[in-house]
Amino acid sequence: MSFIDEINPVNALIVGANRGIGLGFVEKLLQDDRIAKVYATSRQPESASDLIALAGEHPGRLICLEMDITDELQIVEAVQKIRIQVDKLHLVVNCVGLLHEDNLQPEKSLKQINSENLLRYFQINSIGAVLLAKHLLPLFRHGERSVFATISAKLGSIGDNQLGGWYGYRASKAALNMLMRTAAIEYKRSCPKAFIVTLHPGTTDTRLSRPFQGNVTAEKLFSVERTVTQLLAVIEQLQEGDSGQFFSWDGSRLPW
C-alpha cells in the first residue's frame, strides 16, 4: 500500500514547477484525489503560463509561489506562506537543476573549468536543496509518513563515473547526494517518519537534456509523464531504512 493511502489530507510541494519534470509532477498530483493541496514554486510565477493556467483550473487546490532557491530569503518567505495555510507537508519534490544556460555548458576537459561556472552549479544543484531541507523541517515535524525527494542524477555517482567530463554538473550532484544524506540523518532525530531521498530520473525529454539527447536510444529517452509516473512509484514504495538513499527511476539503488 502506498504511504499516500495512509494519510488524509495529503499536502504536497513541488519546487521548480514551471516546466519539465516539475510541471509534470504538478499535473500528475492534481489528477490524484488523495492530494488536498499542491504548492508549486517557480522563479518567475508570472511567466509560468502553463502553471498559471492549471491554477485557474484548480482554485484553492494549486497554490503558486515565487521562489529562487539560490535566495534563502525567498525560501523563508515561501515556507512562511505555506505555514499560514497548513501545518504539515507529506510530499516535497525538488526539481530544480542546472546543466546548461547561456554561456555555461558542461565541461569536456580541465581547460574549460571556470570557477564562476562551478559556483553556479553548486549554488543551484547542491546548496539550494539543503537550504530547502533547513527551512522545510518544521513542516515535516509530525507523526505521519512523509517524503522529501530531490532530483539528482546518475552522473553524480562517483562510483559509476567511467567517462569523466562534466566536472561541475557531476561534482554538484555528488555534493547534493552527500548533503541530502546528511540531512536525512538529522531529520531522523526530529522527524522520524520523514524520508529524504535523491532520485535519478533517467534521460527525460526536457529543455535541460535536449542538447545532449543525440546518443540516447529511443527506449531510454523518457517522456515527462513516464518519468513522473516512475519516480512517484519509487517514492510511494519507500520502505523503512530507505531514507538517505540514492535511487534510480526503476527503484534500484545507485552507488555513491
Side-chain angles (χ1 to χ4, degrees), residues 2-13 29 32-39 60-61 63 82 85-92 139-140 142-147:
S2 160
F3 82 94
I4 292 177
D5 291 320
E6 304 170 20
I7 305 157
N8 186 28
V10 172
N11 301 316
L13 166 65
L29 293 175
D32 191 333
D33 293 338
R34 299 171 299 174
I35 311 296
K37 283 193 181 294
V38 180
Y39 295 91
R61 190 164 173 238
I63 298 96
I82 295 170
Q85 296 190 10
V86 298
D87 61 356
K88 60 185 77 166
L89 287 173
H90 304 94
L91 175 62
V92 175
L139 285 161
F140 282 109
H142 55 80
E144 297 165 1
R145 264 179 62 119
S146 52
V147 176

mmCIF file of all heavy atoms in Angstrom, residues 2-13 29 32-39 60-61 63 82 85-92 139-140 142-147:
data_model
loop_
_atom_site.group_PDB
_atom_site.id
_atom_site.type_symbol
_atom_site.label_atom_id
_atom_site.label_comp_id
_atom_site.label_asym_id
_atom_site.label_seq_id
_atom_site.Cartn_x
_atom_site.Cartn_y
_atom_site.Cartn_z
ATOM 1 N N SER A 2 0.498 2.238 -0.790
ATOM 2 C CA SER A 2 1.227 3.488 -0.851
ATOM 3 C C SER A 2 1.085 4.255 0.459
ATOM 4 O O SER A 2 0.032 4.231 1.088
ATOM 5 C CB SER A 2 0.684 4.342 -2.000
ATOM 6 O OG SER A 2 1.025 5.693 -1.816
ATOM 7 N N PHE A 3 2.139 4.963 0.854
ATOM 8 C CA PHE A 3 2.051 5.751 2.086
ATOM 9 C C PHE A 3 0.996 6.851 1.944
ATOM 10 O O PHE A 3 0.410 7.295 2.932
ATOM 11 C CB PHE A 3 3.415 6.340 2.443
ATOM 12 C CG PHE A 3 3.788 7.615 1.727
ATOM 13 C CD1 PHE A 3 3.524 8.844 2.308
ATOM 14 C CD2 PHE A 3 4.403 7.594 0.491
ATOM 15 C CE1 PHE A 3 3.868 10.031 1.669
ATOM 16 C CE2 PHE A 3 4.744 8.762 -0.160
ATOM 17 C CZ PHE A 3 4.472 9.986 0.430
ATOM 18 N N ILE A 4 0.720 7.281 0.717
ATOM 19 C CA ILE A 4 -0.283 8.331 0.498
ATOM 20 C C ILE A 4 -1.675 7.841 0.899
ATOM 21 O O ILE A 4 -2.513 8.616 1.362
ATOM 22 C CB ILE A 4 -0.239 8.824 -0.970
ATOM 23 C CG1 ILE A 4 1.080 9.580 -1.220
ATOM 24 C CG2 ILE A 4 -1.432 9.721 -1.293
ATOM 25 C CD1 ILE A 4 1.281 10.056 -2.639
ATOM 26 N N ASP A 5 -1.912 6.528 0.759
ATOM 27 C CA ASP A 5 -3.210 5.971 1.140
ATOM 28 C C ASP A 5 -3.446 6.045 2.647
ATOM 29 O O ASP A 5 -4.583 5.985 3.108
ATOM 30 C CB ASP A 5 -3.310 4.506 0.694
ATOM 31 C CG ASP A 5 -3.398 4.380 -0.823
ATOM 32 O OD1 ASP A 5 -4.089 5.210 -1.434
ATOM 33 O OD2 ASP A 5 -2.777 3.467 -1.379
ATOM 34 N N GLU A 6 -2.352 6.162 3.409
ATOM 35 C CA GLU A 6 -2.457 6.159 4.869
ATOM 36 C C GLU A 6 -2.784 7.540 5.428
ATOM 37 O O GLU A 6 -3.076 7.679 6.616
ATOM 38 C CB GLU A 6 -1.128 5.688 5.486
ATOM 39 C CG GLU A 6 -0.658 4.317 5.006
ATOM 40 C CD GLU A 6 0.766 4.027 5.456
ATOM 41 O OE1 GLU A 6 1.240 4.682 6.413
ATOM 42 O OE2 GLU A 6 1.420 3.170 4.847
ATOM 43 N N ILE A 7 -2.736 8.569 4.586
ATOM 44 C CA ILE A 7 -2.827 9.951 5.066
ATOM 45 C C ILE A 7 -4.018 10.652 4.421
ATOM 46 O O ILE A 7 -4.283 10.493 3.232
ATOM 47 C CB ILE A 7 -1.534 10.724 4.713
ATOM 48 C CG1 ILE A 7 -0.298 9.995 5.244
ATOM 49 C CG2 ILE A 7 -1.589 12.152 5.229
ATOM 50 C CD1 ILE A 7 0.967 10.347 4.525
ATOM 51 N N ASN A 8 -4.705 11.467 5.202
ATOM 52 C CA ASN A 8 -5.785 12.268 4.647
ATOM 53 C C ASN A 8 -5.948 13.523 5.506
ATOM 54 O O ASN A 8 -6.190 13.398 6.706
ATOM 55 C CB ASN A 8 -7.092 11.467 4.623
ATOM 56 C CG ASN A 8 -8.219 12.196 3.915
ATOM 57 O OD1 ASN A 8 -7.961 13.006 3.029
ATOM 58 N ND2 ASN A 8 -9.431 11.928 4.321
ATOM 59 N N PRO A 9 -5.809 14.711 4.968
ATOM 60 C CA PRO A 9 -5.475 15.021 3.575
ATOM 61 C C PRO A 9 -3.958 15.078 3.357
ATOM 62 O O PRO A 9 -3.205 15.270 4.308
ATOM 63 C CB PRO A 9 -6.085 16.410 3.385
ATOM 64 C CG PRO A 9 -5.961 17.040 4.749
ATOM 65 C CD PRO A 9 -6.112 15.916 5.754
ATOM 66 N N VAL A 10 -3.530 14.952 2.106
ATOM 67 C CA VAL A 10 -2.110 14.997 1.748
ATOM 68 C C VAL A 10 -1.779 16.379 1.173
ATOM 69 O O VAL A 10 -2.478 16.867 0.276
ATOM 70 C CB VAL A 10 -1.767 13.907 0.714
ATOM 71 C CG1 VAL A 10 -0.337 14.076 0.205
ATOM 72 C CG2 VAL A 10 -1.956 12.523 1.306
ATOM 73 N N ASN A 11 -0.733 16.991 1.702
ATOM 74 C CA ASN A 11 -0.254 18.287 1.197
ATOM 75 C C ASN A 11 1.094 18.082 0.514
ATOM 76 O O ASN A 11 1.990 17.447 1.077
ATOM 77 C CB ASN A 11 -0.088 19.283 2.344
ATOM 78 C CG ASN A 11 -1.384 19.521 3.085
ATOM 79 O OD1 ASN A 11 -2.434 19.678 2.478
ATOM 80 N ND2 ASN A 11 -1.321 19.541 4.413
ATOM 81 N N ALA A 12 1.224 18.616 -0.693
ATOM 82 C CA ALA A 12 2.440 18.422 -1.480
ATOM 83 C C ALA A 12 3.050 19.763 -1.880
ATOM 84 O O ALA A 12 2.351 20.778 -2.008
ATOM 85 C CB ALA A 12 2.128 17.609 -2.728
ATOM 86 N N LEU A 13 4.360 19.756 -2.071
ATOM 87 C CA LEU A 13 5.097 20.928 -2.556
ATOM 88 C C LEU A 13 6.024 20.486 -3.675
ATOM 89 O O LEU A 13 6.833 19.566 -3.483
ATOM 90 C CB LEU A 13 5.913 21.558 -1.417
ATOM 91 C CG LEU A 13 6.992 22.581 -1.818
ATOM 92 C CD1 LEU A 13 6.390 23.822 -2.457
ATOM 93 C CD2 LEU A 13 7.842 22.978 -0.593
ATOM 94 N N LEU A 29 -0.178 15.115 -9.785
ATOM 95 C CA LEU A 29 -0.749 15.180 -8.438
ATOM 96 C C LEU A 29 -2.161 15.758 -8.449
ATOM 97 O O LEU A 29 -3.014 15.352 -7.658
ATOM 98 C CB LEU A 29 0.159 16.003 -7.519
ATOM 99 C CG LEU A 29 1.526 15.394 -7.195
ATOM 100 C CD1 LEU A 29 2.370 16.365 -6.388
ATOM 101 C CD2 LEU A 29 1.387 14.065 -6.449
ATOM 102 N N ASP A 32 -4.876 13.301 -8.797
ATOM 103 C CA ASP A 32 -4.988 12.331 -7.704
ATOM 104 C C ASP A 32 -5.885 12.897 -6.603
ATOM 105 O O ASP A 32 -5.544 13.884 -5.949
ATOM 106 C CB ASP A 32 -3.587 12.037 -7.148
ATOM 107 C CG ASP A 32 -3.552 10.859 -6.201
ATOM 108 O OD1 ASP A 32 -4.586 10.566 -5.567
ATOM 109 O OD2 ASP A 32 -2.474 10.238 -6.079
ATOM 110 N N ASP A 33 -7.016 12.292 -6.381
ATOM 111 C CA ASP A 33 -7.980 12.779 -5.381
ATOM 112 C C ASP A 33 -7.441 12.720 -3.956
ATOM 113 O O ASP A 33 -8.008 13.341 -3.055
ATOM 114 C CB ASP A 33 -9.280 11.959 -5.459
ATOM 115 C CG ASP A 33 -10.027 12.192 -6.760
ATOM 116 O OD1 ASP A 33 -9.790 13.255 -7.380
ATOM 117 O OD2 ASP A 33 -10.824 11.330 -7.163
ATOM 118 N N ARG A 34 -6.374 11.950 -3.734
ATOM 119 C CA ARG A 34 -5.801 11.838 -2.387
ATOM 120 C C ARG A 34 -5.029 13.103 -1.994
ATOM 121 O O ARG A 34 -4.737 13.315 -0.823
ATOM 122 C CB ARG A 34 -4.876 10.620 -2.303
ATOM 123 C CG ARG A 34 -5.555 9.293 -2.579
ATOM 124 C CD ARG A 34 -4.531 8.162 -2.683
ATOM 125 N NE ARG A 34 -3.582 8.374 -3.767
ATOM 126 C CZ ARG A 34 -2.519 7.595 -4.008
ATOM 127 N NH1 ARG A 34 -2.281 6.555 -3.208
ATOM 128 N NH2 ARG A 34 -1.705 7.846 -5.016
ATOM 129 N N ILE A 35 -4.686 13.928 -2.976
ATOM 130 C CA ILE A 35 -3.880 15.125 -2.727
ATOM 131 C C ILE A 35 -4.803 16.322 -2.490
ATOM 132 O O ILE A 35 -5.585 16.696 -3.365
ATOM 133 C CB ILE A 35 -2.941 15.422 -3.918
ATOM 134 C CG1 ILE A 35 -2.165 14.170 -4.349
ATOM 135 C CG2 ILE A 35 -1.998 16.571 -3.562
ATOM 136 C CD1 ILE A 35 -1.215 13.614 -3.323
ATOM 137 N N ALA A 36 -4.709 16.904 -1.295
ATOM 138 C CA ALA A 36 -5.587 18.030 -0.942
ATOM 139 C C ALA A 36 -5.069 19.350 -1.507
ATOM 140 O O ALA A 36 -5.812 20.106 -2.125
ATOM 141 C CB ALA A 36 -5.721 18.121 0.571
ATOM 142 N N LYS A 37 -3.789 19.630 -1.257
ATOM 143 C CA LYS A 37 -3.205 20.885 -1.730
ATOM 144 C C LYS A 37 -1.863 20.625 -2.401
ATOM 145 O O LYS A 37 -1.076 19.794 -1.934
ATOM 146 C CB LYS A 37 -2.990 21.865 -0.563
ATOM 147 C CG LYS A 37 -4.267 22.551 -0.078
ATOM 148 C CD LYS A 37 -3.933 23.716 0.843
ATOM 149 C CE LYS A 37 -5.183 24.414 1.355
ATOM 150 N NZ LYS A 37 -5.953 25.082 0.299
ATOM 151 N N VAL A 38 -1.621 21.345 -3.490
ATOM 152 C CA VAL A 38 -0.338 21.299 -4.175
ATOM 153 C C VAL A 38 0.227 22.713 -4.207
ATOM 154 O O VAL A 38 -0.377 23.629 -4.791
ATOM 155 C CB VAL A 38 -0.467 20.768 -5.619
ATOM 156 C CG1 VAL A 38 0.901 20.749 -6.295
ATOM 157 C CG2 VAL A 38 -1.096 19.376 -5.642
ATOM 158 N N TYR A 39 1.356 22.897 -3.545
ATOM 159 C CA TYR A 39 2.089 24.162 -3.623
ATOM 160 C C TYR A 39 3.148 24.000 -4.712
ATOM 161 O O TYR A 39 3.832 22.976 -4.762
ATOM 162 C CB TYR A 39 2.725 24.499 -2.278
ATOM 163 C CG TYR A 39 1.709 24.760 -1.200
ATOM 164 C CD1 TYR A 39 1.244 23.725 -0.383
ATOM 165 C CD2 TYR A 39 1.164 26.024 -1.021
ATOM 166 C CE1 TYR A 39 0.281 23.949 0.587
ATOM 167 C CE2 TYR A 39 0.199 26.265 -0.050
ATOM 168 C CZ TYR A 39 -0.242 25.217 0.743
ATOM 169 O OH TYR A 39 -1.208 25.449 1.694
ATOM 170 N N GLY A 60 -7.640 27.293 -5.236
ATOM 171 C CA GLY A 60 -7.618 26.870 -3.840
ATOM 172 C C GLY A 60 -6.898 25.556 -3.607
ATOM 173 O O GLY A 60 -6.508 25.244 -2.478
ATOM 174 N N ARG A 61 -6.712 24.781 -4.667
ATOM 175 C CA ARG A 61 -6.026 23.483 -4.530
ATOM 176 C C ARG A 61 -4.583 23.574 -5.008
ATOM 177 O O ARG A 61 -3.692 22.943 -4.428
ATOM 178 C CB ARG A 61 -6.781 22.415 -5.324
ATOM 179 C CG ARG A 61 -6.278 21.000 -5.056
ATOM 180 C CD ARG A 61 -7.259 19.945 -5.543
ATOM 181 N NE ARG A 61 -6.670 18.619 -5.422
ATOM 182 C CZ ARG A 61 -6.494 17.770 -6.430
ATOM 183 N NH1 ARG A 61 -6.897 18.086 -7.651
ATOM 184 N NH2 ARG A 61 -5.935 16.592 -6.227
ATOM 185 N N ILE A 63 -1.573 26.169 -5.399
ATOM 186 C CA ILE A 63 -1.139 27.493 -4.950
ATOM 187 C C ILE A 63 0.261 27.746 -5.492
ATOM 188 O O ILE A 63 1.198 26.993 -5.194
ATOM 189 C CB ILE A 63 -1.143 27.593 -3.400
ATOM 190 C CG1 ILE A 63 -2.560 27.398 -2.864
ATOM 191 C CG2 ILE A 63 -0.594 28.939 -2.954
ATOM 192 C CD1 ILE A 63 -2.873 25.986 -2.427
ATOM 193 N N ILE A 82 3.280 28.972 3.148
ATOM 194 C CA ILE A 82 2.715 27.621 3.268
ATOM 195 C C ILE A 82 2.243 27.377 4.702
ATOM 196 O O ILE A 82 1.137 26.869 4.928
ATOM 197 C CB ILE A 82 3.750 26.551 2.847
ATOM 198 C CG1 ILE A 82 4.097 26.687 1.354
ATOM 199 C CG2 ILE A 82 3.223 25.140 3.142
ATOM 200 C CD1 ILE A 82 5.271 25.839 0.904
ATOM 201 N N GLN A 85 -1.156 28.409 5.867
ATOM 202 C CA GLN A 85 -2.295 27.612 5.396
ATOM 203 C C GLN A 85 -2.326 26.199 5.967
ATOM 204 O O GLN A 85 -3.403 25.673 6.258
ATOM 205 C CB GLN A 85 -2.284 27.540 3.860
ATOM 206 C CG GLN A 85 -2.483 28.878 3.189
ATOM 207 C CD GLN A 85 -2.717 28.745 1.695
ATOM 208 O OE1 GLN A 85 -2.910 27.651 1.176
ATOM 209 N NE2 GLN A 85 -2.692 29.861 0.996
ATOM 210 N N VAL A 86 -1.168 25.572 6.082
ATOM 211 C CA VAL A 86 -1.113 24.184 6.570
ATOM 212 C C VAL A 86 0.019 24.042 7.577
ATOM 213 O O VAL A 86 0.976 24.820 7.559
ATOM 214 C CB VAL A 86 -0.920 23.164 5.409
ATOM 215 C CG1 VAL A 86 -2.077 23.209 4.435
ATOM 216 C CG2 VAL A 86 0.405 23.393 4.678
ATOM 217 N N ASP A 87 -0.095 23.039 8.443
ATOM 218 C CA ASP A 87 0.965 22.843 9.449
ATOM 219 C C ASP A 87 1.824 21.624 9.157
ATOM 220 O O ASP A 87 2.690 21.278 9.951
ATOM 221 C CB ASP A 87 0.364 22.744 10.848
ATOM 222 C CG ASP A 87 -0.596 21.559 10.999
ATOM 223 O OD1 ASP A 87 -0.850 20.858 9.994
ATOM 224 O OD2 ASP A 87 -1.097 21.351 12.123
ATOM 225 N N LYS A 88 1.573 20.975 8.020
ATOM 226 C CA LYS A 88 2.408 19.812 7.669
ATOM 227 C C LYS A 88 2.421 19.576 6.170
ATOM 228 O O LYS A 88 1.459 19.877 5.463
ATOM 229 C CB LYS A 88 1.917 18.561 8.397
ATOM 230 C CG LYS A 88 0.498 18.146 8.092
ATOM 231 C CD LYS A 88 0.030 16.961 8.933
ATOM 232 C CE LYS A 88 -0.307 17.375 10.340
ATOM 233 N NZ LYS A 88 -1.077 16.315 11.065
ATOM 234 N N LEU A 89 3.549 19.040 5.711
ATOM 235 C CA LEU A 89 3.694 18.584 4.324
ATOM 236 C C LEU A 89 3.972 17.086 4.344
ATOM 237 O O LEU A 89 4.630 16.575 5.257
ATOM 238 C CB LEU A 89 4.841 19.314 3.616
ATOM 239 C CG LEU A 89 4.605 20.784 3.230
ATOM 240 C CD1 LEU A 89 5.905 21.394 2.710
ATOM 241 C CD2 LEU A 89 3.504 20.929 2.190
ATOM 242 N N HIS A 90 3.485 16.391 3.306
ATOM 243 C CA HIS A 90 3.689 14.943 3.212
ATOM 244 C C HIS A 90 4.566 14.551 2.020
ATOM 245 O O HIS A 90 5.170 13.482 2.030
ATOM 246 C CB HIS A 90 2.339 14.232 3.094
ATOM 247 C CG HIS A 90 1.415 14.548 4.218
ATOM 248 N ND1 HIS A 90 0.480 15.558 4.155
ATOM 249 C CD2 HIS A 90 1.315 14.017 5.467
ATOM 250 C CE1 HIS A 90 -0.180 15.611 5.301
ATOM 251 N NE2 HIS A 90 0.310 14.707 6.112
ATOM 252 N N LEU A 91 4.591 15.396 1.005
ATOM 253 C CA LEU A 91 5.404 15.109 -0.174
ATOM 254 C C LEU A 91 6.015 16.403 -0.691
ATOM 255 O O LEU A 91 5.293 17.353 -1.008
ATOM 256 C CB LEU A 91 4.548 14.468 -1.279
ATOM 257 C CG LEU A 91 5.262 14.229 -2.619
ATOM 258 C CD1 LEU A 91 6.430 13.260 -2.457
ATOM 259 C CD2 LEU A 91 4.284 13.726 -3.673
ATOM 260 N N VAL A 92 7.342 16.438 -0.736
ATOM 261 C CA VAL A 92 8.062 17.549 -1.355
ATOM 262 C C VAL A 92 8.984 16.962 -2.416
ATOM 263 O O VAL A 92 9.704 15.993 -2.147
ATOM 264 C CB VAL A 92 8.901 18.339 -0.321
ATOM 265 C CG1 VAL A 92 9.742 19.405 -1.019
ATOM 266 C CG2 VAL A 92 7.999 18.978 0.735
ATOM 267 N N LEU A 139 7.770 21.693 8.859
ATOM 268 C CA LEU A 139 6.581 21.149 8.192
ATOM 269 C C LEU A 139 6.621 19.626 8.082
ATOM 270 O O LEU A 139 5.630 18.996 7.707
ATOM 271 C CB LEU A 139 6.416 21.780 6.802
ATOM 272 C CG LEU A 139 5.882 23.226 6.829
ATOM 273 C CD1 LEU A 139 6.175 23.947 5.522
ATOM 274 C CD2 LEU A 139 4.395 23.244 7.134
ATOM 275 N N PHE A 140 7.770 19.032 8.411
ATOM 276 C CA PHE A 140 7.893 17.572 8.438
ATOM 277 C C PHE A 140 7.856 17.030 9.877
ATOM 278 O O PHE A 140 7.894 15.825 10.078
ATOM 279 C CB PHE A 140 9.204 17.129 7.781
ATOM 280 C CG PHE A 140 9.176 17.147 6.275
ATOM 281 C CD1 PHE A 140 9.883 18.096 5.558
ATOM 282 C CD2 PHE A 140 8.435 16.209 5.567
ATOM 283 C CE1 PHE A 140 9.864 18.108 4.174
ATOM 284 C CE2 PHE A 140 8.412 16.205 4.189
ATOM 285 C CZ PHE A 140 9.125 17.165 3.480
ATOM 286 N N HIS A 142 5.977 15.958 12.172
ATOM 287 C CA HIS A 142 4.646 15.438 12.521
ATOM 288 C C HIS A 142 4.693 13.912 12.492
ATOM 289 O O HIS A 142 5.708 13.327 12.097
ATOM 290 C CB HIS A 142 3.578 15.981 11.561
ATOM 291 C CG HIS A 142 3.842 15.733 10.106
ATOM 292 N ND1 HIS A 142 3.580 14.526 9.496
ATOM 293 C CD2 HIS A 142 4.348 16.540 9.127
ATOM 294 C CE1 HIS A 142 3.903 14.598 8.210
ATOM 295 N NE2 HIS A 142 4.390 15.793 7.966
ATOM 296 N N GLY A 143 3.636 13.278 12.873
ATOM 297 C CA GLY A 143 3.656 11.829 13.059
ATOM 298 C C GLY A 143 3.206 11.006 11.874
ATOM 299 O O GLY A 143 3.033 9.789 11.994
ATOM 300 N N GLU A 144 3.046 11.653 10.701
ATOM 301 C CA GLU A 144 2.593 10.924 9.515
ATOM 302 C C GLU A 144 3.769 10.718 8.557
ATOM 303 O O GLU A 144 4.675 11.538 8.487
ATOM 304 C CB GLU A 144 1.462 11.706 8.830
ATOM 305 C CG GLU A 144 0.229 11.839 9.714
ATOM 306 C CD GLU A 144 -0.752 12.893 9.212
ATOM 307 O OE1 GLU A 144 -0.499 13.516 8.161
ATOM 308 O OE2 GLU A 144 -1.771 13.105 9.885
ATOM 309 N N ARG A 145 3.723 9.611 7.814
ATOM 310 C CA ARG A 145 4.800 9.340 6.852
ATOM 311 C C ARG A 145 4.888 10.453 5.825
ATOM 312 O O ARG A 145 3.869 10.973 5.363
ATOM 313 C CB ARG A 145 4.534 8.001 6.138
ATOM 314 C CG ARG A 145 5.262 6.834 6.775
ATOM 315 C CD ARG A 145 4.961 5.537 6.064
ATOM 316 N NE ARG A 145 5.399 5.538 4.671
ATOM 317 C CZ ARG A 145 6.292 4.687 4.176
ATOM 318 N NH1 ARG A 145 6.848 3.793 4.945
ATOM 319 N NH2 ARG A 145 6.611 4.718 2.906
ATOM 320 N N SER A 146 6.097 10.814 5.467
ATOM 321 C CA SER A 146 6.292 11.887 4.501
ATOM 322 C C SER A 146 7.609 11.671 3.764
ATOM 323 O O SER A 146 8.490 10.952 4.244
ATOM 324 C CB SER A 146 6.280 13.250 5.201
ATOM 325 O OG SER A 146 7.191 13.242 6.287
ATOM 326 N N VAL A 147 7.717 12.307 2.604
ATOM 327 C CA VAL A 147 8.900 12.128 1.753
ATOM 328 C C VAL A 147 9.356 13.481 1.221
ATOM 329 O O VAL A 147 8.552 14.278 0.727
ATOM 330 C CB VAL A 147 8.600 11.191 0.563
ATOM 331 C CG1 VAL A 147 9.816 11.106 -0.365
ATOM 332 C CG2 VAL A 147 8.215 9.799 1.050
#
